[in-house]
Amino acid sequence: MTLIDSLPPRPLEPQELTSLNRSEAFDLVVAVENDGPARGLLFATDSWVKGAAYADESGWSVVETVELDDGTARIDGLQACESSILSFQDDENEE
């Protein structure tokens, strides 16, 4: 099962985000939004960070993946993925 397959076909409620953070599959899962249902998510493990975004027409998509290594810190991966999510959401709002 892929990351996207494990998400419901809609934005995530805050309690669902909390459940993802409690799972052992990820070190960290955070929403890009400050409140309400999450339409942008950052997933992090020891080896990668992924940014996923929800669009009404197409559902969830992984919009960025950053591999973590000696040259790429987690914070850099999180920032790159967040930027990609925000860009994806801006593009969706223009349509």
Side-chain angles (χ1 to χ4, degrees):
M1 179 182 288
T2 68
L3 172 68
I4 297 303
D5 293 337
S6 66
L7 297 174
R10 57 175 168 65
L12 262 65
E13 296 298 326
Q15 61 272 22
E16 292 171 310
L17 189 62
T18 300
S19 293
L20 280 173
N21 266 303
R22 289 186 180 142
S23 79
E24 293 183 15
F26 310 105
D27 293 340
L28 175 72
V29 182
V30 293
V32 172
E33 298 83 7
N34 291 327
D35 58 354
R39 299 176 72 87
L41 299 171
L42 299 169
F43 295 86
T45 68
D46 286 338
S47 57
W48 52 258
V49 175
K50 293 183 185 279
Y54 182 82
D56 291 329
E57 296 295 318
S58 58
W60 288 101
S61 300
V62 174
V63 296
E64 183 72 61
T65 299
V66 176
E67 299 295 329
L68 303 179
D69 55 28
D70 293 338
T72 306
R74 180 181 284 175
I75 188 67
D76 296 328
L78 290 167
Q79 290 172 337
C81 288
E82 180 180 30
S83 179
S84 292
I85 290 169
L86 295 174
S87 177
F88 176 87
Q89 290 172 336
D90 285 345
D91 291 346
E92 285 295 311
N93 289 333
E94 288 178 8
E95 293 179 3

PDB file of all heavy atoms in Angstrom, residues 8-9 20 24 27-28 33 35 39 45 55 61 66 68-69 74 77 84-85 88-90 92:
ATOM      1  N   PRO A   8      -7.640   8.820   3.345  1.00  0.00           N
ATOM      2  CA  PRO A   8      -9.037   8.830   2.906  1.00  0.00           C
ATOM      3  C   PRO A   8      -9.195   9.746   1.684  1.00  0.00           C
ATOM      4  O   PRO A   8      -8.370  10.629   1.468  1.00  0.00           O
ATOM      5  CB  PRO A   8      -9.791   9.385   4.124  1.00  0.00           C
ATOM      6  CG  PRO A   8      -8.785  10.160   4.885  1.00  0.00           C
ATOM      7  CD  PRO A   8      -7.459   9.505   4.637  1.00  0.00           C
ATOM      8  N   PRO A   9     -10.253   9.571   0.913  1.00  0.00           N
ATOM      9  CA  PRO A   9     -10.447  10.367  -0.301  1.00  0.00           C
ATOM     10  C   PRO A   9     -11.020  11.761  -0.023  1.00  0.00           C
ATOM     11  O   PRO A   9     -11.968  12.201  -0.663  1.00  0.00           O
ATOM     12  CB  PRO A   9     -11.418   9.507  -1.119  1.00  0.00           C
ATOM     13  CG  PRO A   9     -12.221   8.799  -0.082  1.00  0.00           C
ATOM     14  CD  PRO A   9     -11.268   8.526   1.047  1.00  0.00           C
ATOM     15  N   LEU A  20      -2.179   9.533  12.598  1.00  0.00           N
ATOM     16  CA  LEU A  20      -1.020   9.284  11.744  1.00  0.00           C
ATOM     17  C   LEU A  20       0.281   9.504  12.501  1.00  0.00           C
ATOM     18  O   LEU A  20       1.246   8.768  12.325  1.00  0.00           O
ATOM     19  CB  LEU A  20      -1.052  10.184  10.509  1.00  0.00           C
ATOM     20  CG  LEU A  20      -1.939   9.753   9.370  1.00  0.00           C
ATOM     21  CD1 LEU A  20      -1.994  10.835   8.289  1.00  0.00           C
ATOM     22  CD2 LEU A  20      -1.453   8.450   8.778  1.00  0.00           C
ATOM     23  N   GLU A  24       3.585   4.013  13.752  1.00  0.00           N
ATOM     24  CA  GLU A  24       5.030   3.809  13.697  1.00  0.00           C
ATOM     25  C   GLU A  24       5.587   3.942  12.286  1.00  0.00           C
ATOM     26  O   GLU A  24       6.789   3.829  12.080  1.00  0.00           O
ATOM     27  CB  GLU A  24       5.367   2.440  14.280  1.00  0.00           C
ATOM     28  CG  GLU A  24       5.067   2.375  15.758  1.00  0.00           C
ATOM     29  CD  GLU A  24       5.467   1.056  16.380  1.00  0.00           C
ATOM     30  OE1 GLU A  24       6.234   0.291  15.759  1.00  0.00           O
ATOM     31  OE2 GLU A  24       5.026   0.801  17.499  1.00  0.00           O
ATOM     32  N   ASP A  27       7.977   9.264  11.318  1.00  0.00           N
ATOM     33  CA  ASP A  27       8.528   9.973  12.471  1.00  0.00           C
ATOM     34  C   ASP A  27       7.717  11.226  12.766  1.00  0.00           C
ATOM     35  O   ASP A  27       7.612  11.653  13.911  1.00  0.00           O
ATOM     36  CB  ASP A  27       9.979  10.378  12.215  1.00  0.00           C
ATOM     37  CG  ASP A  27      10.916   9.195  12.108  1.00  0.00           C
ATOM     38  OD1 ASP A  27      10.561   8.102  12.594  1.00  0.00           O
ATOM     39  OD2 ASP A  27      12.010   9.362  11.536  1.00  0.00           O
ATOM     40  N   LEU A  28       7.166  11.811  11.712  1.00  0.00           N
ATOM     41  CA  LEU A  28       6.466  13.090  11.840  1.00  0.00           C
ATOM     42  C   LEU A  28       5.459  13.228  10.710  1.00  0.00           C
ATOM     43  O   LEU A  28       5.766  12.912   9.559  1.00  0.00           O
ATOM     44  CB  LEU A  28       7.493  14.236  11.743  1.00  0.00           C
ATOM     45  CG  LEU A  28       6.977  15.658  11.727  1.00  0.00           C
ATOM     46  CD1 LEU A  28       6.455  16.039  13.107  1.00  0.00           C
ATOM     47  CD2 LEU A  28       8.078  16.613  11.305  1.00  0.00           C
ATOM     48  N   GLU A  33      -1.631  23.548   6.776  1.00  0.00           N
ATOM     49  CA  GLU A  33      -2.611  24.520   7.266  1.00  0.00           C
ATOM     50  C   GLU A  33      -2.548  24.611   8.796  1.00  0.00           C
ATOM     51  O   GLU A  33      -2.191  23.645   9.464  1.00  0.00           O
ATOM     52  CB  GLU A  33      -4.030  24.103   6.868  1.00  0.00           C
ATOM     53  CG  GLU A  33      -4.269  24.044   5.387  1.00  0.00           C
ATOM     54  CD  GLU A  33      -3.800  22.727   4.756  1.00  0.00           C
ATOM     55  OE1 GLU A  33      -3.402  21.796   5.467  1.00  0.00           O
ATOM     56  OE2 GLU A  33      -3.813  22.659   3.528  1.00  0.00           O
ATOM     57  N   ASP A  35      -5.313  25.440  10.664  1.00  0.00           N
ATOM     58  CA  ASP A  35      -6.584  25.020  11.255  1.00  0.00           C
ATOM     59  C   ASP A  35      -7.474  24.393  10.184  1.00  0.00           C
ATOM     60  O   ASP A  35      -7.210  24.510   8.995  1.00  0.00           O
ATOM     61  CB  ASP A  35      -7.295  26.197  11.922  1.00  0.00           C
ATOM     62  CG  ASP A  35      -7.568  27.350  10.970  1.00  0.00           C
ATOM     63  OD1 ASP A  35      -7.112  27.312   9.814  1.00  0.00           O
ATOM     64  OD2 ASP A  35      -8.249  28.296  11.369  1.00  0.00           O
ATOM     65  N   ARG A  39      -5.314  19.844   3.898  1.00  0.00           N
ATOM     66  CA  ARG A  39      -5.250  19.598   2.460  1.00  0.00           C
ATOM     67  C   ARG A  39      -3.807  19.509   1.986  1.00  0.00           C
ATOM     68  O   ARG A  39      -3.544  19.208   0.834  1.00  0.00           O
ATOM     69  CB  ARG A  39      -5.985  20.697   1.707  1.00  0.00           C
ATOM     70  CG  ARG A  39      -7.459  20.773   2.059  1.00  0.00           C
ATOM     71  CD  ARG A  39      -8.147  21.935   1.365  1.00  0.00           C
ATOM     72  NE  ARG A  39      -8.311  21.702  -0.054  1.00  0.00           N
ATOM     73  CZ  ARG A  39      -9.352  21.057  -0.589  1.00  0.00           C
ATOM     74  NH1 ARG A  39     -10.312  20.586   0.185  1.00  0.00           N
ATOM     75  NH2 ARG A  39      -9.434  20.888  -1.892  1.00  0.00           N
ATOM     76  N   THR A  45      10.349  10.516   7.575  1.00  0.00           N
ATOM     77  CA  THR A  45      10.982   9.353   8.182  1.00  0.00           C
ATOM     78  C   THR A  45      12.462   9.702   8.355  1.00  0.00           C
ATOM     79  O   THR A  45      12.872  10.838   8.073  1.00  0.00           O
ATOM     80  CB  THR A  45      10.846   8.094   7.305  1.00  0.00           C
ATOM     81  OG1 THR A  45      11.617   8.269   6.121  1.00  0.00           O
ATOM     82  CG2 THR A  45       9.391   7.813   6.952  1.00  0.00           C
ATOM     83  N   ALA A  55      -6.462  17.708  -3.904  1.00  0.00           N
ATOM     84  CA  ALA A  55      -7.202  18.528  -4.870  1.00  0.00           C
ATOM     85  C   ALA A  55      -8.578  17.905  -5.050  1.00  0.00           C
ATOM     86  O   ALA A  55      -8.699  16.678  -5.127  1.00  0.00           O
ATOM     87  CB  ALA A  55      -6.467  18.590  -6.199  1.00  0.00           C
ATOM     88  N   SER A  61      -2.154  13.644  -3.949  1.00  0.00           N
ATOM     89  CA  SER A  61      -0.979  13.437  -4.797  1.00  0.00           C
ATOM     90  C   SER A  61       0.272  13.739  -3.995  1.00  0.00           C
ATOM     91  O   SER A  61       0.291  14.685  -3.198  1.00  0.00           O
ATOM     92  CB  SER A  61      -0.985  14.382  -6.001  1.00  0.00           C
ATOM     93  OG  SER A  61      -2.104  14.186  -6.801  1.00  0.00           O
ATOM     94  N   VAL A  66      11.870  14.359  -0.932  1.00  0.00           N
ATOM     95  CA  VAL A  66      13.259  14.744  -0.707  1.00  0.00           C
ATOM     96  C   VAL A  66      13.929  13.624   0.080  1.00  0.00           C
ATOM     97  O   VAL A  66      13.471  13.267   1.167  1.00  0.00           O
ATOM     98  CB  VAL A  66      13.360  16.080   0.076  1.00  0.00           C
ATOM     99  CG1 VAL A  66      14.810  16.419   0.381  1.00  0.00           C
ATOM    100  CG2 VAL A  66      12.684  17.208  -0.693  1.00  0.00           C
ATOM    101  N   LEU A  68      16.757  12.229   2.407  1.00  0.00           N
ATOM    102  CA  LEU A  68      17.615  12.811   3.439  1.00  0.00           C
ATOM    103  C   LEU A  68      18.940  12.065   3.479  1.00  0.00           C
ATOM    104  O   LEU A  68      18.973  10.838   3.440  1.00  0.00           O
ATOM    105  CB  LEU A  68      16.925  12.740   4.801  1.00  0.00           C
ATOM    106  CG  LEU A  68      15.552  13.414   4.882  1.00  0.00           C
ATOM    107  CD1 LEU A  68      14.973  13.250   6.274  1.00  0.00           C
ATOM    108  CD2 LEU A  68      15.641  14.877   4.496  1.00  0.00           C
ATOM    109  N   ASP A  69      20.023  12.827   3.544  1.00  0.00           N
ATOM    110  CA  ASP A  69      21.358  12.243   3.641  1.00  0.00           C
ATOM    111  C   ASP A  69      22.263  13.229   4.354  1.00  0.00           C
ATOM    112  O   ASP A  69      21.773  14.215   4.939  1.00  0.00           O
ATOM    113  CB  ASP A  69      21.893  11.868   2.252  1.00  0.00           C
ATOM    114  CG  ASP A  69      21.889  13.050   1.287  1.00  0.00           C
ATOM    115  OD1 ASP A  69      22.002  14.215   1.735  1.00  0.00           O
ATOM    116  OD2 ASP A  69      21.776  12.816   0.068  1.00  0.00           O
ATOM    117  N   ARG A  74      16.669  17.216   7.567  1.00  0.00           N
ATOM    118  CA  ARG A  74      15.208  17.077   7.563  1.00  0.00           C
ATOM    119  C   ARG A  74      14.517  18.425   7.403  1.00  0.00           C
ATOM    120  O   ARG A  74      13.547  18.541   6.654  1.00  0.00           O
ATOM    121  CB  ARG A  74      14.723  16.397   8.838  1.00  0.00           C
ATOM    122  CG  ARG A  74      13.198  16.257   8.840  1.00  0.00           C
ATOM    123  CD  ARG A  74      12.672  15.624  10.072  1.00  0.00           C
ATOM    124  NE  ARG A  74      12.938  14.195   9.997  1.00  0.00           N
ATOM    125  CZ  ARG A  74      12.686  13.362  10.987  1.00  0.00           C
ATOM    126  NH1 ARG A  74      12.179  13.787  12.111  1.00  0.00           N
ATOM    127  NH2 ARG A  74      12.952  12.076  10.854  1.00  0.00           N
ATOM    128  N   GLY A  77      14.341  19.375   3.852  1.00  0.00           N
ATOM    129  CA  GLY A  77      13.345  18.569   3.155  1.00  0.00           C
ATOM    130  C   GLY A  77      11.933  19.034   3.455  1.00  0.00           C
ATOM    131  O   GLY A  77      11.093  19.119   2.558  1.00  0.00           O
ATOM    132  N   SER A  84       6.547  23.136  -2.236  1.00  0.00           N
ATOM    133  CA  SER A  84       5.910  22.443  -3.364  1.00  0.00           C
ATOM    134  C   SER A  84       4.409  22.295  -3.155  1.00  0.00           C
ATOM    135  O   SER A  84       3.628  22.434  -4.100  1.00  0.00           O
ATOM    136  CB  SER A  84       6.549  21.070  -3.570  1.00  0.00           C
ATOM    137  OG  SER A  84       7.874  21.212  -4.011  1.00  0.00           O
ATOM    138  N   ILE A  85       4.002  22.019  -1.928  1.00  0.00           N
ATOM    139  CA  ILE A  85       2.567  21.910  -1.626  1.00  0.00           C
ATOM    140  C   ILE A  85       1.876  23.248  -1.861  1.00  0.00           C
ATOM    141  O   ILE A  85       0.823  23.311  -2.496  1.00  0.00           O
ATOM    142  CB  ILE A  85       2.341  21.434  -0.179  1.00  0.00           C
ATOM    143  CG1 ILE A  85       2.749  19.976  -0.032  1.00  0.00           C
ATOM    144  CG2 ILE A  85       0.884  21.628   0.243  1.00  0.00           C
ATOM    145  CD1 ILE A  85       2.821  19.496   1.407  1.00  0.00           C
ATOM    146  N   PHE A  88       1.546  23.890  -5.527  1.00  0.00           N
ATOM    147  CA  PHE A  88       0.503  23.022  -6.069  1.00  0.00           C
ATOM    148  C   PHE A  88      -0.876  23.594  -5.744  1.00  0.00           C
ATOM    149  O   PHE A  88      -1.747  23.665  -6.606  1.00  0.00           O
ATOM    150  CB  PHE A  88       0.654  21.615  -5.482  1.00  0.00           C
ATOM    151  CG  PHE A  88      -0.419  20.661  -5.890  1.00  0.00           C
ATOM    152  CD1 PHE A  88      -0.310  19.934  -7.071  1.00  0.00           C
ATOM    153  CD2 PHE A  88      -1.548  20.462  -5.095  1.00  0.00           C
ATOM    154  CE1 PHE A  88      -1.297  19.034  -7.456  1.00  0.00           C
ATOM    155  CE2 PHE A  88      -2.540  19.572  -5.472  1.00  0.00           C
ATOM    156  CZ  PHE A  88      -2.414  18.863  -6.650  1.00  0.00           C
ATOM    157  N   GLN A  89      -1.073  24.022  -4.497  1.00  0.00           N
ATOM    158  CA  GLN A  89      -2.362  24.571  -4.092  1.00  0.00           C
ATOM    159  C   GLN A  89      -2.665  25.875  -4.822  1.00  0.00           C
ATOM    160  O   GLN A  89      -3.806  26.116  -5.207  1.00  0.00           O
ATOM    161  CB  GLN A  89      -2.400  24.766  -2.576  1.00  0.00           C
ATOM    162  CG  GLN A  89      -2.437  23.450  -1.829  1.00  0.00           C
ATOM    163  CD  GLN A  89      -2.281  23.595  -0.329  1.00  0.00           C
ATOM    164  OE1 GLN A  89      -1.729  24.578   0.167  1.00  0.00           O
ATOM    165  NE2 GLN A  89      -2.771  22.616   0.403  1.00  0.00           N
ATOM    166  N   ASP A  90      -1.660  26.716  -5.031  1.00  0.00           N
ATOM    167  CA  ASP A  90      -1.853  27.946  -5.799  1.00  0.00           C
ATOM    168  C   ASP A  90      -2.286  27.640  -7.227  1.00  0.00           C
ATOM    169  O   ASP A  90      -3.195  28.272  -7.760  1.00  0.00           O
ATOM    170  CB  ASP A  90      -0.579  28.793  -5.826  1.00  0.00           C
ATOM    171  CG  ASP A  90      -0.316  29.496  -4.510  1.00  0.00           C
ATOM    172  OD1 ASP A  90      -1.227  29.571  -3.657  1.00  0.00           O
ATOM    173  OD2 ASP A  90       0.826  29.968  -4.328  1.00  0.00           O
ATOM    174  N   GLU A  92      -3.830  24.944  -8.263  1.00  0.00           N
ATOM    175  CA  GLU A  92      -5.199  24.417  -8.223  1.00  0.00           C
ATOM    176  C   GLU A  92      -6.220  25.527  -8.070  1.00  0.00           C
ATOM    177  O   GLU A  92      -7.301  25.466  -8.645  1.00  0.00           O
ATOM    178  CB  GLU A  92      -5.351  23.435  -7.052  1.00  0.00           C
ATOM    179  CG  GLU A  92      -4.704  22.100  -7.285  1.00  0.00           C
ATOM    180  CD  GLU A  92      -5.355  21.322  -8.410  1.00  0.00           C
ATOM    181  OE1 GLU A  92      -6.593  21.198  -8.427  1.00  0.00           O
ATOM    182  OE2 GLU A  92      -4.621  20.852  -9.293  1.00  0.00           O
TER     183      GLU A  92
END
